[in-house]
Amino acid sequence: MSDAEESPLGETEEDGETEMEEEEEENPNYYAEVESMQQESKEDDTVAWRDSQEEGEEKEKKEEAVREETVEKAGTAQEEVAAEVQEETTVKPQDITETVGTLERLSLTDPQSVMSETSPKTHGGGELKHSLPSELSSSLSSQIEFLDLELTSFEEQQMSSPESQSSRELGDDTDRVPQDELGQERRDLEPGKGETRQEKRVSYLAEEKEVQPEADIPKDSLVSTTTEDILFQKDESASVCPLTMTWSFGWNSSLPVYYIRDTNQRVLLYASAHTAVIYDVFKNSQHHLQGHPNVISCFCISEDRRWIATADKGPNCLIIIWDSFTGIPVHTIFDSCPEGNGIRTIAISRDAKYLATISDAEMQKVCIWRWTLAVETPACTLDLPKEYGFQNYLTFNPTNNKELVSNSKTQAIYYLWYEEGDILTHSAPLLTEKTFNKLVGKFSQSVFHLNLTQMLSATMEGKLVVWDVDRPPPSAPTSLGLPYIRPCKLVHLQKESISVLTTVDSYIVTGDAKGHIKFYDHTLSIIHWYSHFKLSSIRCLSFSKTPATPPTENSNYPPDCTLKGDPFVIRNLVIGTSDATVYHLTTDGTKLEKLLVEPKDAIYAISCHPYQPLIAIGSFCGMIKVWDYERKKYLFSRVFEKGLGVQSLTYNPEGAFLGAGFTEGTVYILDAMSLENEIPEPFKYSTTSVTHISFSHDSQYMATADVSFTVAVYKVKVKSGKRVWEYLARLRSHRKSIQSLLFGMHLDSSEPRLLSLGRDKLLIEYSLLKSYRDHLEVLDIHRTDQGSYPTCMIWYPPLIKERFLIISNSNYKVKLFNSTTKMCRKTLLGPVYGSPIEQIQILPVKTTVELQKRYLVFINTDKVGLQILPIDGNPHKTAAIICHPNGVAGLALAYDGHYAFTAGGPDRSVLQWEINLSALEAAVSLGGEDLTPFYALVSGGREGKFYRELEDYFYYSQLRSQGIDTMETRKVSEHICLSELPFVMRAIGFYPSEEKIEDMFNEIRFSEYVDTGEIIDKINLPDFLKIYLNHRPPFGNTMHSIQKSFDILGYTNSKGKKVIQREDFLKLLLTRGEHMTEDEMSDCFASLLGLNPEGWKSEPAASSVKGSEVCYEEELPDEITAEIFATDILGFTISPDSRQDPTVSEVIRNV
């Protein structure tokens, strides 16, 4: 110890006191009465159990003789269960195991339970009670029921096909009672989805009377019989999911870390993105608790370290309670916040019977949950006024689970729960500087004092506010007096801000902004402190479950601060700091060990080594860490000076260099194995963040792109026999952000080529050979899209003769461009999982056999997925899983294609995903062959009305092409000529632009050109269906897209609506976009307004009015809104789609 301090009581700031007096309990008999009531409750439970057992024995005597044999076989098990139930008359934390044993059967879902928009559902119709007579006779039945339940894995529930994803929502019922092998009678007794838990239990009791249990089935549920070691037992079973999370790098240092195992092991619990991680330090193994659709916002653990409660905030937020021994979610609370704001803070009582939560809404709500009863609604709630501030910390009274305390930065609140009437009362006196005539400071955390009659609130000024708790007598009715707290003292403990306040054994413990940890007794006299570790600000302190061993001759406990200097004996603890470091402190010997050293800021940069199992991770805090991802071992790191945040990382193809781009524009080239500089000085040619780094295949060129839309090129030159990197040139070539920067090779040589793709829809190729110092030559520029913008590009693997670029766009389309001519050769429907693809990479292969079948990995806003090549629009060829709910920032692939890595950006985590291609192939085979997957994409399928209508239009187009009025013999064919394709498309409700029509023509014309040299000029119905499905808008024509155009082109009128003047509207049609001639526009309006009821000028015999005769002043209003344009002019009907946001309506044809 160092810098000895005086007792803080000497600094008490009220009335010049030099010592804080111990407060007398205002109701000394309060806790004695509570204890007496608890004992009476225990006795009542025992009597009830005995009565119920006698009733059970009477029922047994009345059993039929045929069933005596069954009773004899089950007798032993019943006696064991009865003994267990009898022990439950005393409520202890571990007693909840028995309650959960039954609960687990119906809420059991493998820890990974959320994909895209689905998650497990737990029903809570009836309350589970201890010592029911029927449960004694049915314990075997309930145990068999649990074991017969199909353990559906998380990835199976998470994997979803894109066509079903849009209609699925979080919270859909995914509990399933599978058909087992115990006979058809069991199937008949299987409860329906609408039944409650109690009904399900009765059903299984009835069935047990008929069916004998199998001899080899264990008698107890996994939750009630497990030991601590089962969590990290190796699971040798093969994964049935295309993507399985195997490791999480990084942790959310804004949340606490808990010390949950300490006997012959060292196990931590912390949060990483939407996953809670149980990490065994000695085994270097992780177990992931997955089930949340959003990033975990808070979590807590019971006193016995058995039960973990996690909560998130966001749409469809969940509260999940887990068994830490097995990793099984024993209960899930849905709709805990109907407003969708989620949970801000959570606490669990010392006996683990109750949960308390405070919502994250503007108007916060306090809820208490009886989670062991499997209920879906809180026992009581309390709305907090806005004046109380944003409550961000909550804890129970460790000696009374009906009392809680919470605090915001400005106000502490005391709660008392009257369980009889489920009333939650509170007291929140306003504390100002005038209260003590001293500066109080902002609150950080609050706890109950060890003397049980007071509360303590720590402040950022290093002070403690002491509150007296005045409780009414337990026998007094609620109306006669409510509990309240009042501030009685302000104790100035220290100069540093107190960030953590907790209690352990007989000590009050604080952690402060300077990394000091201090221990005080109940009089707030300092007993011991740790200040020599030089830690950063303390974020959390978690003490071991096991008490400290008494001192012996071999012990090395430090002395305390008393005059006697006795050994300071305290439990071992885990320390979490603000710089995302986790330490373990062994108090016997004062040994501090680092357990985790992770980035404390957002992670946007990751890159995998090209031929070794290494991954480099870069953070905004300036740290680059390199891991061996196969051994899960940290290798080396480098921390750059303050202000240098790592934005991008890329290994060169040889694996010798690591290019690093930083947030302030600097570019480093580092040695891949030491992270030392390879260049004397970093390149500083940009003033904005470097978002992309790319190396040529021969490592002779390096290109970067930055936020200011600029591409820079660097080149290797040999000087004095050494390779030296030099700056070549840079060019501001785009008007909007650069989405991709890609090197390639020319077809006729091994010379590198460089391309960039921008959000301005431009694909630009640069001539490296013609470029020289300060001049970057542009070879050609092509526009890739018309309405949507491109998101990323990659080279298509050489599966066919033609060389393609894959470009994905914001309209969920994947386009293949000829690498030489830049012609769009194919447009295909990409993965549709809530948001467009943002990055794609081709999965590497190591053998020639694997070259015959290739795959790509993609990420969108919050998911990572797999796609089987070649892309053809088949939705079953893709699979995706939620990886970072707050946004995916980066993607990297292992050199052997076995793993994918995703960076979470602001969630400060990198997740490792094991890839199982056989599972994806199995899904494809189940989806059907040929056109079967495509029929499912149209309304009604193959036999539906839409497809029948499509067939009619397809064959009607043959009549059109041969002439409507001809008297010659008709020729019926399986094909139509290409000139008829746009008319059939428009007839079935797809209205492509002229550019899209040209893309369709090129796709069909050159489909066989590389193989046969022939140009195709006709198309059959199956190919037409594929063209239609791949080119049409993925969600149909929406009112949202029309309104967006009017928002851009129009102005706001006096009624507040976006409108376009009639004259401007006609002028836009003639001059902007794919402008029309006056004759074309007149003919269009003549048909749209009903002046040519039979069609457009393509059928001249049906025309009755010439376009020039249209009077626009009479037919069109002065101001045209989006609704008028869609309904009155185009003749559509606006129909709200319940599956989408109400502001987005689907525009359907008015037939």
Side-chain angles (χ1 to χ4, degrees):
M1 297 183 299
S2 60
D3 58 295
E5 303 174 15
E6 296 179 2
S7 171
L9 298 182
E11 301 177 11
T12 303
E13 298 183 358
E14 181 187 15
D15 300 329
E17 291 180 325
T18 59
E19 184 176 358
M20 189 185 75
E21 300 178 358
E22 296 183 26
E23 299 292 330
E24 295 290 336
E25 295 187 12
E26 296 189 10
N27 183 14
N29 297 326
Y30 171 71
Y31 287 98
E33 293 175 1
V34 172
E35 190 173 12
S36 174
M37 293 171 63
Q38 291 177 347
Q39 184 63 31
E40 291 176 4
S41 176
K42 297 173 186 175
E43 294 174 358
D44 292 343
D45 289 344
T46 305
V47 172
W49 177 81
R50 289 174 179 169
D51 293 343
S52 63
Q53 190 175 24
E54 292 176 1
E55 294 177 3
E57 291 175 355
E58 292 177 2
K59 291 182 180 179
E60 284 184 0
K61 293 179 181 179
K62 297 179 182 180
E63 292 288 342
E64 298 177 2
V66 179
R67 301 186 52 216
E68 289 179 358
E69 183 179 354
T70 303
V71 174
E72 290 176 359
K73 292 182 179 180
T76 304
Q78 290 176 348
E79 291 173 2
E80 294 175 356
V81 175
E84 293 177 1
V85 174
Q86 191 169 10
E87 293 174 0
E88 290 177 1
T89 54
T90 302
V91 179
K92 300 178 182 179
Q94 59 267 30
D95 291 341
I96 302 174
T97 301
E98 302 301 327
T99 305
V100 177
T102 304
L103 167 63
E104 177 198 5
R105 297 182 286 113
L106 298 176
S107 68
L108 175 63
T109 308
D110 201 78
Q112 305 180 3
S113 53
V114 174
M115 170 58 200
S116 302
E117 285 84 39
T118 59
S119 73
K121 180 98 175 184
T122 304
H123 297 283
E127 294 185 354
L128 300 178
K129 298 180 180 179
H130 296 282
S131 57
L132 286 174
S134 60
E135 289 189 1
L136 285 175
S137 62
S138 65
S139 61
L140 237 63
S141 172
S142 64
Q143 294 151 9
I144 294 169
E145 173 195 3
F146 165 75
L147 291 164
D148 285 343
L149 284 178
E150 178 181 341
L151 299 182
T152 306
S153 71
F154 166 65
E155 295 90 342
E156 289 180 276
Q157 297 180 25
Q158 286 189 324
M159 292 299 167
S160 61
S161 58
E163 68 270 17
S164 65
Q165 182 157 353
S166 60
S167 62
R168 295 165 63 185
E169 296 181 356
L170 184 67
D172 290 347
D173 190 343
T174 60
D175 281 350
R176 295 178 294 172
V177 181
Q179 313 277 342
D180 59 23
E181 58 192 21
L182 296 183
Q184 181 64 36
E185 186 172 8
R186 183 167 182 133
R187 298 187 184 93
D188 297 337
L189 291 172
E190 181 176 339
K193 291 184 178 180
E195 296 176 336
T196 63
R197 292 178 179 276
Q198 187 68 22
E199 292 170 340
K200 289 185 179 181
R201 184 159 59 240
V202 172
S203 175
Y204 277 94
L205 292 177
E207 112 181 280
E208 180 60 24
K209 296 178 181 179
E210 303 294 336
V211 182
Q212 294 294 329
E214 296 184 10
D216 58 344
I217 296 181
K219 298 178 181 180
D220 297 313
S221 72
L222 190 61
V223 169
S224 61
T225 62
T226 188
T227 64
E228 298 181 11
D229 295 329
I230 193 174
L231 192 65
F232 291 101
Q233 289 180 359
K234 295 294 182 181
D235 184 10
E236 302 297 338
S237 59
S239 173
V240 295
C241 307
L243 290 162
T244 305
M245 193 173 90
T246 60
W247 198 262
S248 174
F249 302 92
W251 68 289
N252 186 352
S253 56
S254 300
L255 299 179
V257 56
Y258 289 105
Y259 196 179
I260 65 174
R261 304 280 189 277
D262 55 2
T263 305
N264 299 324
Q265 52 184 333
R266 189 174 295 167
V267 182
L268 310 179
L269 170 69
Y270 54 86
S272 179
H274 64 315
T275 303
V277 180
I278 300 177
Y279 174 49
D280 189 319
V281 177
F282 292 155
K283 294 181 180 179
N284 194 29
S285 179
Q286 290 183 353
H287 184 87
H288 304 117
L289 306 180
Q290 291 182 271
H292 287 280
N294 308 296
V295 169
I296 292 176
S297 59
C298 55
F299 64 104
C300 60
I301 190 165
S302 61
E303 182 69 21
D304 65 346
R305 310 299 200 268
R306 181 71 191 267
W307 311 106
I308 299 169
T310 58
D312 62 65
K313 57 181 179 182
N316 304 307
C317 59
L318 300 176
I319 301 173
I320 305 178
I321 297 90
W322 313 80
D323 174 20
S324 70
F325 290 178
T326 62
I328 294 174
V330 295
H331 185 49
T332 302
I333 300 174
F334 297 88
D335 302 324
S336 58
C337 295
E339 313 86 25
N341 298 294
I343 305 299
R344 174 57 184 168
T345 183
I346 189 170
I348 190 168
S349 60
R350 189 182 184 90
D351 59 8
K353 291 177 61 177
Y354 308 113
L355 278 179
T357 61
I358 300 181
S359 67
D360 199 48
E362 184 177 359
M363 179 75 73
Q364 290 185 288
K365 177 182 290 187
V366 183
C367 300
I368 296 180
W369 309 81
R370 296 187 180 97
W371 72 270
T372 59
L373 302 182
V375 294
E376 295 289 342
T377 56
C380 59
T381 62
L382 175 67
D383 291 328
L384 299 179
K386 295 181 182 179
E387 304 83 64
Y388 288 175
F390 195 72
Q391 302 289 312
N392 53 21
Y393 185 79
L394 175 69
T395 187
F396 276 92
N397 186 341
T399 60
N400 182 0
N401 58 19
K402 305 300 186 296
E403 292 184 324
L404 303 95
V405 61
S406 72
N407 67 259
S408 63
K409 291 183 178 181
T410 58
Q411 194 132 14
I413 307 176
Y414 165 79
Y415 309 88
L416 180 60
W417 175 29
Y418 291 93
E419 190 173 9
E420 295 76 14
D422 280 336
I423 299 173
L424 186 63
T425 62
H426 76 287
S427 172
L430 182 62
L431 191 64
T432 66
E433 295 181 8
K434 296 181 179 180
T435 306
F436 298 108
N437 292 322
K438 296 288 184 179
L439 176 64
V440 176
K442 295 180 178 180
F443 294 132
S444 57
Q445 293 184 0
S446 301
V447 297
F448 285 90
H449 196 287
L450 299 171
N451 62 20
L452 308 180
T453 63
Q454 293 177 323
M455 289 177 3
L456 304 173
S457 295
T459 75
M460 303 308 289
E461 296 296 324
K463 302 174 183 178
L464 277 186
V465 177
V466 183
W467 309 83
D468 279 339
V469 181
D470 294 319
R471 305 178 178 92
S475 58
T478 307
S479 58
L480 295 182
L482 296 177
Y484 66 92
I485 59 174
R486 52 186 175 83
C488 66
K489 292 183 184 300
L490 181 66
V491 183
H492 196 161
L493 285 185
Q494 58 188 56
K495 296 179 180 179
E496 298 82 12
S497 299
I498 300 175
S499 54
V500 175
L501 177 64
T502 186
T503 60
V504 60
D505 299 331
S506 59
Y507 301 108
I508 298 168
V509 190
T510 65
D512 60 40
K514 285 196 173 181
H516 302 169
I517 303 169
K518 300 179 182 179
F519 297 82
Y520 302 86
D521 64 9
H522 68 283
T523 65
L524 294 184
S525 298
I526 191 163
I527 302 299
H528 188 73
W529 69 90
Y530 296 102
S531 60
H532 61 283
F533 295 138
K534 297 181 180 179
L535 308 179
S536 60
S537 178
I538 305 296
R539 283 286 177 85
C540 61
L541 298 172
S542 179
F543 291 86
S544 67
K545 174 186 173 183
T546 306
T549 57
T552 62
E553 293 181 358
N554 298 325
S555 299
N556 189 21
Y557 288 104
D560 61 22
C561 295
T562 62
L563 294 177
K564 294 181 180 180
D566 295 330
F568 179 68
V569 181
I570 196 69
R571 306 171 189 234
N572 295 338
L573 67 150
V574 166
I575 307 165
T577 61
S578 59
D579 60 357
T581 305
V582 177
Y583 301 88
H584 179 270
L585 177 61
T586 304
T587 54
D588 187 358
T590 316
K591 182 181 178 182
L592 188 71
E593 303 171 70
K594 284 185 180 180
L595 304 183
L596 297 173
V597 182
E598 301 294 347
K600 64 180 179 180
D601 288 330
I603 300 175
Y604 282 86
I606 55 174
S607 181
C608 286
H609 196 277
Y611 58 84
Q612 291 187 24
L614 306 178
I615 180 172
I617 300 173
S619 167
F620 275 9
C621 66
M623 175 190 289
I624 298 178
K625 292 189 67 174
V626 178
W627 290 77
D628 183 327
Y629 55 75
E630 288 186 348
R631 296 187 297 160
K632 312 299 187 294
K633 183 178 180 181
Y634 157 70
L635 299 179
F636 47 87
S637 64
R638 177 176 174 181
V639 179
F640 292 83
E641 55 266 28
K642 190 175 181 181
L644 289 179
V646 184
Q647 177 71 62
S648 53
L649 288 174
T650 303
Y651 282 99
N652 74 324
E654 299 170 355
F657 305 131
L658 178 65
F662 289 80
T663 52
E664 38 68 75
T666 304
V667 176
Y668 280 77
I669 300 179
L670 308 172
D671 180 86
M673 292 298 130
S674 66
L675 299 183
E676 296 297 328
N677 291 356
E678 278 291 325
I679 52 178
E681 292 293 332
F683 296 117
K684 189 68 171 68
Y685 291 94
S686 175
T687 58
T688 56
S689 182
V690 178
T691 56
H692 297 79
I693 295 182
S694 183
F695 287 92
S696 63
H697 69 282
D698 55 4
S699 297
Q700 294 299 306
Y701 291 91
M702 180 182 74
T704 64
D706 59 29
V707 173
S708 58
F709 326 135
T710 301
V711 174
V713 178
Y714 307 86
K715 185 178 181 180
V716 170
K717 289 188 177 181
V718 178
K719 291 184 177 181
S720 302
K722 294 183 179 180
R723 290 161 46 107
V724 179
W725 286 95
E726 288 188 351
Y727 164 77
L728 180 62
R730 62 195 304 264
L731 177 67
R732 185 186 173 101
S733 50
H734 291 273
R735 299 189 304 272
K736 293 185 178 180
S737 61
I738 297 174
Q739 307 287 71
S740 291
L741 188 64
L742 191 62
F743 274 99
M745 289 176 58
H746 288 283
L747 295 178
D748 53 353
S749 69
S750 60
E751 287 295 324
R753 55 192 300 199
L754 176 63
L755 302 97
S756 65
L757 179 69
R759 190 160 177 162
D760 54 7
K761 308 172 188 175
L762 297 181
L763 173 62
I764 301 177
E765 182 169 1
Y766 307 88
S767 176
L768 297 176
L769 293 178
K770 296 182 180 179
S771 298
Y772 49 88
R773 180 78 181 188
D774 294 328
H775 176 78
L776 184 58
E777 182 76 15
V778 173
L779 187 61
D780 55 43
I781 301 176
H782 289 269
R783 187 163 62 91
T784 61
D785 289 275
Q786 195 171 33
S788 54
Y789 60 86
T791 57
C792 56
M793 71 173 172
I794 199 73
W795 291 108
Y796 196 81
L799 296 176
I800 54 178
K801 296 179 181 179
E802 196 170 358
R803 184 73 166 151
F804 287 129
L805 270 171
I806 304 177
I807 296 182
S808 177
N809 67 22
S810 60
N811 200 31
Y812 298 88
K813 302 299 182 186
V814 176
K815 292 187 174 184
L816 303 186
F817 288 83
N818 183 281
S819 62
T820 304
T821 64
K822 309 298 192 305
M823 176 191 292
C824 180
R825 289 278 287 100
K826 278 191 177 182
T827 300
L828 302 159
L829 177 65
V832 182
Y833 290 102
S835 59
I837 294 176
E838 294 185 356
Q839 289 185 42
I840 50 179
Q841 291 188 28
I842 303 299
L843 197 65
V845 295
K846 301 301 292 181
T847 64
T848 54
V849 176
E850 295 174 333
L851 289 172
Q852 307 304 316
K853 189 102 178 183
R854 301 300 299 273
Y855 306 82
L856 65 80
V857 183
F858 64 87
I859 58 173
N860 63 5
T861 299
D862 60 348
K863 301 176 186 70
V864 59
L866 284 173
Q867 166 89 57
I868 298 177
L869 298 178
I871 304 173
D872 58 6
N874 182 352
H876 300 290
K877 283 189 173 183
T878 65
I881 187 171
I882 292 178
C883 56
H884 300 279
N886 281 5
V888 192
L891 172 68
L893 301 180
Y895 72 99
D896 56 5
H898 290 167
Y899 299 103
F901 300 86
T902 56
D907 69 23
R908 291 166 278 179
S909 68
V910 174
L911 303 182
Q912 179 177 347
W913 304 88
E914 184 178 8
I915 296 174
N916 183 3
L917 299 176
S918 59
L920 183 57
E921 293 288 354
V924 175
S925 62
L926 292 174
E929 299 178 350
D930 300 327
L931 289 177
T932 303
F934 296 93
Y935 290 138
L937 295 177
V938 298
S939 177
R942 176 68 177 83
E943 304 301 325
K945 179 181 178 181
F946 178 86
Y947 188 78
R948 295 300 183 191
E949 188 179 77
L950 171 60
E951 285 183 320
D952 292 342
Y953 285 130
F954 186 84
Y955 290 108
Y956 174 71
S957 67
Q958 295 185 23
L959 300 180
R960 268 177 38 94
S961 61
Q962 297 174 28
I964 296 297
D965 298 330
T966 183
M967 300 300 293
E968 298 179 2
T969 303
R970 299 286 184 182
K971 297 179 181 179
V972 180
S973 170
E974 295 181 354
H975 298 78
I976 60 173
C977 60
L978 289 188
S979 60
E980 292 296 315
L981 183 141
F983 298 106
V984 181
M985 289 288 183
R986 290 167 182 144
I988 58 177
F990 172 38
Y991 308 98
S993 64
E994 296 299 320
E995 182 177 301
K996 289 182 179 179
I997 291 172
E998 189 62 29
D999 288 343
M1000 294 181 199
F1001 286 167
N1002 290 335
E1003 184 172 335
I1004 299 166
R1005 285 172 183 154
F1006 300 104
S1007 58
E1008 300 178 7
Y1009 185 80
V1010 175
D1011 296 325
T1012 64
E1014 296 180 358
I1015 294 179
I1016 308 301
D1017 60 354
K1018 58 184 179 179
I1019 185 173
N1020 58 23
L1021 183 58
D1023 289 341
F1024 180 90
L1025 177 64
K1026 289 184 179 181
I1027 293 287
Y1028 164 70
L1029 292 174
N1030 282 315
H1031 282 262
R1032 69 171 182 175
F1035 307 112
N1037 301 306
T1038 62
M1039 191 63 205
H1040 174 77
S1041 59
I1042 298 176
Q1043 185 63 57
K1044 184 178 179 181
S1045 299
F1046 273 75
D1047 291 342
I1048 296 173
L1049 299 174
Y1051 68 94
T1052 305
N1053 64 3
S1054 57
K1055 297 180 180 180
K1057 292 185 177 181
K1058 287 288 186 179
V1059 299
I1060 302 177
Q1061 288 284 354
R1062 179 177 58 235
E1063 293 75 13
D1064 295 336
F1065 178 74
L1066 297 175
K1067 184 178 179 181
L1068 288 171
L1069 293 176
L1070 293 172
T1071 59
R1072 301 294 295 272
E1074 293 181 346
H1075 51 270
M1076 312 169 73
T1077 65
E1078 292 190 4
D1079 290 340
E1080 288 174 337
M1081 185 177 69
S1082 299
D1083 288 332
C1084 284
F1085 277 110
S1087 297
L1088 289 170
L1089 298 175
L1091 304 179
N1092 286 343
E1094 294 299 327
W1096 196 30
K1097 67 179 183 180
S1098 58
E1099 298 176 9
S1103 299
S1104 58
V1105 177
K1106 297 296 181 181
S1108 59
E1109 299 178 12
V1110 177
C1111 181
Y1112 298 113
E1113 288 77 7
E1114 295 179 2
E1115 301 294 342
L1116 298 178
D1118 292 337
E1119 293 183 342
I1120 301 173
T1121 64
E1123 290 78 8
I1124 292 174
F1125 176 70
T1127 57
D1128 297 345
I1129 298 177
L1130 298 182
F1132 290 161
T1133 299
I1134 302 177
S1135 176
D1137 190 343
S1138 61
R1139 294 174 302 174
Q1140 300 180 12
D1141 189 284
T1143 60
V1144 179
S1145 303
E1146 184 181 1
V1147 179
I1148 60 174
R1149 291 179 301 127
N1150 186 11
V1151 180

